[in-house]
Amino acid sequence: MEAAIRVENLTKVFHNKKAEPENREIWALDSVSFKVEKGEIFGLLGPNGAGKTTCIRVIAGILKPTSGTAYIQGENINQFQSHLLRKNLGFLTENHGSYEALTVKENLAFFGSFYEIRNLNDRIEDVLKQMGLDGRKEMKAGKLSKGQKQRLAIARTILHEPEVLFFDEPTSGLDPSAALKVRNLIIRLKRKNRTLFINSHNLEEVQKLCDRVAILDQGKIKRIGTPSDLSKELWDTQEMTCTLKTPVSSQIEAKLASLDYIKHFRIEDNKIYIHSNDVNETTPPIIKELVNLGAEILEVNRTRHSLEDIYLKLMKNEIEWGK
Amino acid sequence: MIVDIKNCVRIMKKDWKTTIKNKMILLPMILLPQIFSLVLPPLMLIGVLIDPEGIIAAFGNQEQFISLFNIPESYNQYLIGAEIMTRMMILPFFLFIPTFTAIIIASDSFAGEKERKTMESVALLPISKMELIFGKVLTAFIPAMVITFLSFIFLGIEINLMFLSHLDGNILIFLDPIWLLSVFVLTPTLSYVNILITVIISSRSKDFKSAQNISGVLVIPIITLMFMQMFNPAFMSPLMIIILSAAIGGVCLIFMDLANKLLDIERLILTL
Ligand SMILES: Nc1ncnc2c1ncn2[C@@H]1O[C@H](COP(=O)(O)OP(=O)(O)O)[C@@H](O)[C@H]1O
Ligand SMILES: [Mg+2]
């Protein structure tokens, strides 16, 4: 089956004429390729300035790629008239983008009028209810709170029931309960077999929601896969943490350095972080050694790696290890 | 390229709700035409009521004007004076009204979307660039025309009322082919091309104010027309108006295509 979105060697270079000659070219996207299957929630994760917004703007046809291309439901964005492709797209922009001088309802009526919606008024009512804005219909959009503006923008994005939806930082600036509502909405959309593309720098969110994640940094895709695949790929070794009653002695440190089944370890005050190939096999002998050296053990843990660890590992320089 | 006029109308209606509510736009748009059509003309015509011969003599030879302007034989001195005065002094000012209104509204077309941070939402609509441009043109064109036509009606009523006791069954302005061609043929084409240019200027300006300042240059050709009419009363003949309108219409056709090329959506979004 045709992928909902297929991106091939997509590159976008910005030219900043005011910058120093060597910084004039900004490679916001540098030969990016990936696929999003129909019905999938795909997350594009990366720090600010990674190129996430640029990526979805190019796919939606409002920025022209420098090179490469993307296909939406099989149609090449470079060949097909992009405004016709947009009929079937929903796009939540970073800025809410509603008309502040118009009421909530007028905003939806305007944006909705460009799509073939059978009964627009009923659909508006329906969407406002879903987004908890039915009491604010006649209010000017400019008078809404930040969270309500975001919900109005989401209402606009889903109004015409598009097959493919892009959400740029959907929960940024929302309080936890509003963010939860948005996540639930995204899950409901997935149940309707919609394809969702979520830009986020919120790892927890991406990990909870997405079927697959691509990690983008400085315009390049660093990793791509399911959240659990990524964990496995990046952490071939496993970690245990051991907390002692007193700060770790140099004697213990020397001993740990001499054990060859320990790949590397790190000491922070009274905590020892130890990496090995198989925590199940190495934990008992390590504890025996520690006890023999007189260590008073308070706690032993196995660490589970979240996407956050992977992310931090990719983004920051790796933590300094003792071996 | 197929333009779905319904999409243009949707853009226009939305713009009316958002733009024209703005007092900075609405006030000058309503006040200035009133000055040109209601306040200035009586001041200019009052002299004709007091001393028609003197005013006519000040402009030139009465017999020459009668043949030049095709003034009906049934006109008395007062009406001849009024005819010369309206043709030479009021008509040129009148051409200002639509251009002025159009520039104010059209300056806001894209610069306003940028200022209101709604440009990306507009760019994401499933409409073509041509539909967007044409919608923005309509936003300014229709009010400019409505205001011009209303001003023409008010002006005509006012002048006829001023000369009511001298009319003798004649009607000033309303049946004059020069006035009718100017208001209903020249003015619409002139406004259209001015609006198109202003819309593009607006898409490339950083805000409404600077768009308006740059578009202000567009009044220069209008002022030229104005002076040509003032110093050469024969300039604005029916044939001349038709040729001028056709030439401007031709310019519009070229500009439509150029406008489509010059409207740079990417630049509009990125320079937010
Ligand atoms: N209009 C622009 N001109 C020059 N550079 C830009 C422009 N817009 C974005 N960029 C640059 O492109 C890169 C990617 O930006 P963006 O796609 O907004 O990242 P993200 O959404 O991941 O935060 C950044 O380095 C940013 O500075
Ligand atoms: Mg962004």
Side-chain angles (χ1 to χ4, degrees):
Chain A
M1 202 176 61
E2 185 62 60
I5 302 167
R6 196 166 92 237
V7 173
E8 284 181 357
N9 299 316
L10 202 62
T11 300
K12 179 71 187 176
V13 183
F14 290 120
H15 298 274
N16 189 351
K17 294 192 190 81
K18 288 184 200 113
E20 299 292 308
E22 64 271 24
N23 298 331
R24 274 199 193 148
E25 285 194 346
I26 300 165
W27 289 64
L29 293 174
D30 189 352
S31 202
V32 166
S33 300
F34 57 83
K35 258 194 212 177
V36 181
E37 300 299 339
K38 185 171 161 53
E40 190 175 41
I41 306 184
F42 183 83
L44 191 57
L45 184 66
N48 280 333
K52 306 181 295 293
T53 301
T54 304
C55 183
I56 58 174
R57 280 173 165 176
V58 173
I59 298 172
I62 58 172
L63 297 186
K64 292 271 162 283
T66 306
S67 64
T69 191
Y71 297 81
I72 297 178
Q73 294 174 320
E75 300 286 359
N76 187 333
I77 57 160
N78 285 334
Q79 284 155 18
F80 206 74
Q81 283 183 300
S82 66
H83 68 277
L84 297 178
L85 282 178
R86 284 199 289 272
K87 276 208 181 291
N88 218 355
L89 296 188
F91 197 113
L92 177 74
T93 52
E94 252 174 316
N95 186 294
H96 68 84
S98 299
Y99 289 94
E100 305 219 323
L102 301 186
T103 65
V104 167
K105 206 176 158 185
E106 284 171 333
N107 264 292
L108 294 179
F110 168 66
F111 287 103
S113 68
F114 292 91
Y115 304 90
E116 282 118 38
I117 300 174
R118 258 168 290 116
N119 194 334
L120 183 57
N121 277 330
D122 290 355
R123 178 66 189 151
I124 290 174
E125 298 287 329
D126 192 35
V127 170
L128 285 177
K129 234 176 247 140
Q130 266 190 65
M131 298 315 301
L133 284 170
D134 39 343
R136 299 275 185 280
K137 251 185 301 197
E138 306 300 335
M139 205 186 225
K140 292 266 190 287
K143 294 256 182 334
L144 298 175
S145 71
K146 190 164 188 243
Q148 289 166 337
K149 281 178 187 164
Q150 177 76 344
R151 278 187 271 156
L152 172 57
I154 296 173
R156 204 175 77 213
T157 309
I158 62 173
L159 189 61
H160 53 295
E161 304 190 79
E163 296 274 335
V164 177
L165 295 104
F166 296 90
F167 284 79
D168 204 352
E169 312 275 358
T171 58
S172 77
L174 295 187
D175 61 55
S177 88
L180 181 67
K181 278 193 194 129
V182 171
R183 282 200 286 274
N184 287 338
L185 172 86
I186 290 171
I187 291 164
R188 281 206 301 280
L189 289 167
K190 181 187 160 70
R191 284 202 202 111
K192 290 187 185 169
N193 206 21
R194 300 283 147 75
T195 307
L196 290 114
F197 190 118
I198 298 169
N199 276 356
S200 179
H201 60 257
N202 182 338
L203 303 143
E204 201 195 337
E205 175 169 287
V206 167
Q207 186 158 29
K208 273 187 201 150
L209 277 176
C210 296
D211 300 313
R212 278 186 323 124
V213 182
I215 298 176
L216 188 71
D217 187 33
Q218 296 184 11
K220 289 200 180 80
I221 297 225
K222 292 284 159 107
R223 287 292 186 282
I224 194 159
T226 64
S228 63
D229 277 352
L230 289 182
S231 312
K232 277 194 207 111
E233 182 200 341
L234 270 127
W235 295 84
D236 50 349
T237 51
Q238 300 179 41
E239 189 182 70
M240 69 165 273
T241 315
C242 185
T243 312
L244 307 186
K245 201 175 171 187
T246 51
V248 181
S249 66
S250 52
Q251 213 185 345
I252 292 174
E253 193 175 341
K255 185 76 203 171
L256 290 173
S258 71
L259 297 172
D260 54 8
Y261 50 83
I262 293 180
K263 284 184 70 181
H264 41 226
F265 68 95
R266 179 164 61 95
I267 291 168
E268 260 175 31
D269 197 27
N270 60 335
K271 272 193 177 181
I272 315 169
Y273 299 85
I274 299 169
H275 280 191
S276 60
N277 282 330
D278 189 346
V279 175
N280 286 340
E281 289 300 313
T282 56
T283 302
I286 291 171
I287 291 172
K288 213 177 265 169
E289 295 286 354
L290 290 175
V291 171
N292 283 344
L293 289 167
E296 294 177 282
I297 298 172
L298 289 179
E299 205 180 347
V300 177
N301 291 107
R302 303 178 52 167
T303 316
R304 285 193 177 279
H305 291 294
S306 66
L307 199 54
E308 179 155 7
D309 301 312
I310 307 161
Y311 182 72
L312 290 174
K313 187 174 170 185
L314 279 169
M315 295 304 147
K316 292 191 184 133
N317 293 330
E318 290 190 34
I319 316 157
E320 297 241 342
W321 294 94
K323 202 174 188 176
Chain B
M1 189 180 297
I2 309 154
V3 168
D4 183 349
I5 198 77
K6 276 188 277 175
N7 284 341
C8 309
V9 171
R10 287 168 186 139
I11 295 284
M12 174 189 80
K13 284 189 180 160
K14 184 275 298 171
D15 280 351
W16 287 352
K17 282 194 205 154
T18 54
T19 310
I20 300 181
K21 266 180 193 164
N22 186 342
K23 279 199 195 65
M24 291 248 299
I25 293 170
L26 195 62
L27 279 182
M29 203 177 88
I30 290 185
L31 288 182
L32 222 101
Q34 305 315 314
I35 294 173
F36 286 134
S37 67
L38 292 178
V39 181
L40 284 181
L43 296 177
M44 290 174 167
L45 286 167
I46 199 97
V48 179
L49 278 175
I50 298 165
D51 176 15
E53 284 84 4
I55 296 287
I56 295 168
F59 278 96
N61 182 299
Q62 174 166 341
E63 295 311 311
Q64 258 181 358
F65 278 123
I66 290 178
S67 67
L68 197 63
F69 289 177
N70 281 322
I71 294 178
E73 282 178 12
S74 57
Y75 274 24
N76 55 37
Q77 287 284 280
Y78 291 100
L79 298 189
I80 294 170
E83 179 71 32
I84 294 170
M85 198 67 180
T86 49
R87 191 81 71 88
M88 291 182 67
M89 300 301 292
I90 298 174
L91 179 61
F93 277 110
F94 202 82
L95 291 176
F96 250 140
I97 297 176
T99 304
F100 186 81
T101 314
I103 288 178
I104 296 178
I105 303 177
S107 293
D108 194 64
S109 58
F110 285 106
E113 302 280 6
K114 238 158 69 171
E115 277 176 71
R116 288 187 278 276
K117 296 196 164 59
T118 45
M119 191 55 228
E120 192 174 6
S121 316
V122 172
L124 284 163
L125 290 173
I127 63 173
S128 69
K129 260 165 69 173
M130 215 58 218
E131 286 164 353
L132 184 55
I133 295 172
F134 200 62
K136 292 293 184 186
V137 169
L138 281 184
T139 300
F141 185 72
I142 291 179
M145 288 305 104
V146 168
I147 289 178
T148 306
F149 297 159
L150 284 179
S151 300
F152 175 62
I153 292 169
F154 291 148
L155 175 75
I157 292 173
E158 188 184 48
I159 292 177
N160 280 291
L161 283 177
M162 269 184 91
F163 288 84
L164 194 59
S165 55
H166 307 287
L167 281 179
D168 291 336
N170 293 297
I171 292 176
L172 288 166
I173 285 187
F174 281 138
L175 300 176
D176 186 336
I178 299 283
W179 269 94
L180 294 176
L181 281 172
S182 299
V183 172
F184 295 103
V185 179
L186 179 59
T187 292
T189 46
L190 201 57
S191 304
Y192 188 87
V193 77
N194 277 340
I195 290 170
L196 200 53
I197 296 171
T198 309
V199 164
I200 294 309
I201 291 175
S202 175
S203 80
R204 298 184 151 251
S205 310
K206 74 174 190 306
D207 54 26
F208 165 66
K209 276 257 167 281
S210 56
Q212 210 178 25
N213 292 342
I214 300 168
S215 308
V217 175
L218 291 175
V219 300
I220 292 173
I222 314 282
I223 292 179
T224 314
L225 271 181
M226 217 170 100
F227 279 108
M228 278 167 111
Q229 172 67 0
M230 279 183 184
F231 293 115
N232 176 13
F235 172 69
M236 211 85 112
S237 65
L239 184 66
M240 190 62 186
I241 294 179
I242 289 167
I243 291 173
L244 217 56
S245 304
I248 298 169
V251 170
C252 284
L253 288 181
I254 300 167
F255 267 35
M256 219 45 203
D257 196 45
L258 193 64
N260 196 30
K261 291 202 181 80
L262 286 175
L263 178 70
D264 187 346
I265 298 282
E266 175 152 344
R267 180 186 153 132
L268 267 168
I269 296 170
L270 293 177
T271 53
L272 282 179

